[in-house]
Amino acid sequence: EVQLQAYGGGLVQAGGSLRLSCAASGFTFDDYAIGWFRQAPGKERKGVSCIRSSEGSTYYADSVKGRFTISSDNAKNTVYLQMNSLKPEDTAVYYCAACQYSDYGMAMSPHLDVWGQGTLVTVSS
């Protein structure tokens, strides 16, 4: 069974930091790019960051560039999202999933369309 479990969310003040983790299982981790999506209340889910660990390449949405850093530990089948300089507008439920990206943006991979349970990040002003 494919599972992608996100954890590490919490309540933080603006300007603070959090580190999210995504534990993956049930598929060959190295075969997929894995990334983070977020969904704010009343808004659609959007891509935040994606990593192709086999190539060492990454994608970041403009809204998080310079503040968030994505990384992976293939030995642990885990992807991380280090979030610094958090803003109230970063408040959302964060999900990890297989992803794909191009110059036009980021989306869920159609080859592994499984959402895991998300983790809530709340940034207070």
Side-chain angles (χ1 to χ4, degrees), residues 10-18 86 121-125:
L11 174 64
V12 64
Q13 288 188 331
S17 299
L18 278 175
L86 282 162
V121 172
T122 303
V123 184
S124 63
S125 56

Side-chain angles (χ1 to χ4, degrees), residues 17-36:
S17 299
L18 278 175
R19 186 194 190 203
L20 305 183
S21 299
C22 171
S25 62
F27 63 97
T28 303
F29 186 79
D30 294 353
D31 287 349
Y32 295 89
I34 303 294
W36 292 91

Side-chain angles (χ1 to χ4, degrees), residues 38 48-49 59-69 90 94:
R38 67 185 182 186
V48 174
S49 184
Y59 166 90
Y60 295 95
D62 287 344
S63 59
V64 306
K65 279 181 182 176
R67 300 188 298 122
F68 291 10
T69 302
D90 294 319
Y94 284 71

Side-chain angles (χ1 to χ4, degrees), residues 31-51:
D31 287 349
Y32 295 89
I34 303 294
W36 292 91
F37 298 76
R38 67 185 182 186
Q39 186 166 18
K43 297 188 177 181
E44 64 181 20
R45 195 171 300 184
K46 293 185 177 181
V48 174
S49 184
C50 182
I51 184 168

Side-chain angles (χ1 to χ4, degrees), residues 6-123:
Y7 57 95
L11 174 64
V12 64
Q13 288 188 331
S17 299
L18 278 175
R19 186 194 190 203
L20 305 183
S21 299
C22 171
S25 62
F27 63 97
T28 303
F29 186 79
D30 294 353
D31 287 349
Y32 295 89
I34 303 294
W36 292 91
F37 298 76
R38 67 185 182 186
Q39 186 166 18
K43 297 188 177 181
E44 64 181 20
R45 195 171 300 184
K46 293 185 177 181
V48 174
S49 184
C50 182
I51 184 168
R52 291 185 188 130
S53 57
S54 59
E55 301 173 1
S57 59
T58 58
Y59 166 90
Y60 295 95
D62 287 344
S63 59
V64 306
K65 279 181 182 176
R67 300 188 298 122
F68 291 10
T69 302
I70 192 169
S71 61
S72 68
D73 185 336
N74 287 19
K76 296 182 179 180
N77 284 6
T78 300
V79 172
Y80 305 97
L81 187 68
Q82 178 66 43
M83 305 186 295
N84 299 329
S85 302
L86 282 162
K87 305 175 181 179
E89 51 264 43
D90 294 319
T91 295
V93 177
Y94 284 71
Y95 302 87
C96 58
C99 52
Q100 59 184 17
Y101 61 88
S102 69
D103 291 341
Y104 302 100
M106 172 183 164
M108 183 186 220
S109 170
H111 306 295
L112 191 68
D113 54 347
V114 174
W115 293 109
Q117 185 175 359
T119 185
L120 176 63
V121 172
T122 303
V123 184

